[in-house]
Amino acid sequence: MDIFEIGTEIRKQRKKQGMRQADLAAKARISRSSLIALETGKLPELGFGKICALIAALGHTLTIVPAKSSRPTLEDLRNDQDLE
């Protein structure tokens, strides 16, 4: 997931809850202009703490899960070689 996808998801969740940008920004203690830039994909980077604050302000948590990839990992390739 990249910063654009994070911004899109934050916007989706904010709207789902009927929350205005100004309200979410105030609750997460970030500027409204930063939130607007994040949601519109015009912000190349936003600190981890600010992302976490936005997620928490929406009542969600951040979870780390293995990435879904159609490309094999180096370990997958090595395991395939071991089977030959």
Side-chain angles (χ1 to χ4, degrees):
M1 181 173 268
D2 62 22
I3 191 76
F4 179 75
E5 292 170 308
I6 291 170
T8 300
E9 188 62 30
I10 286 173
R11 182 178 186 180
K12 180 177 138 188
Q13 294 301 319
R14 175 183 61 76
K15 287 186 166 205
K16 186 177 179 180
Q17 294 180 27
M19 192 181 291
R20 297 178 316 139
Q21 287 174 328
D23 298 331
L24 178 57
K27 194 171 181 181
R29 297 183 179 191
I30 70 164
S31 70
R32 183 171 175 247
S33 60
S34 291
L35 178 58
I36 290 168
L38 176 67
E39 287 187 353
T40 59
K42 296 178 182 169
L43 189 66
E45 180 56 48
L46 186 64
F48 180 73
K50 290 179 181 180
I51 295 285
C52 288
L54 284 165
I55 292 169
L58 289 166
H60 292 275
T61 59
L62 179 66
T63 304
I64 306 295
V65 296
K68 295 178 183 172
S69 174
S70 59
R71 301 176 103 186
T73 65
L74 181 57
E75 186 175 329
D76 292 336
L77 295 172
R78 286 182 178 153
N79 288 338
D80 285 346
Q81 286 179 347
D82 289 343
L83 296 175
E84 292 177 0

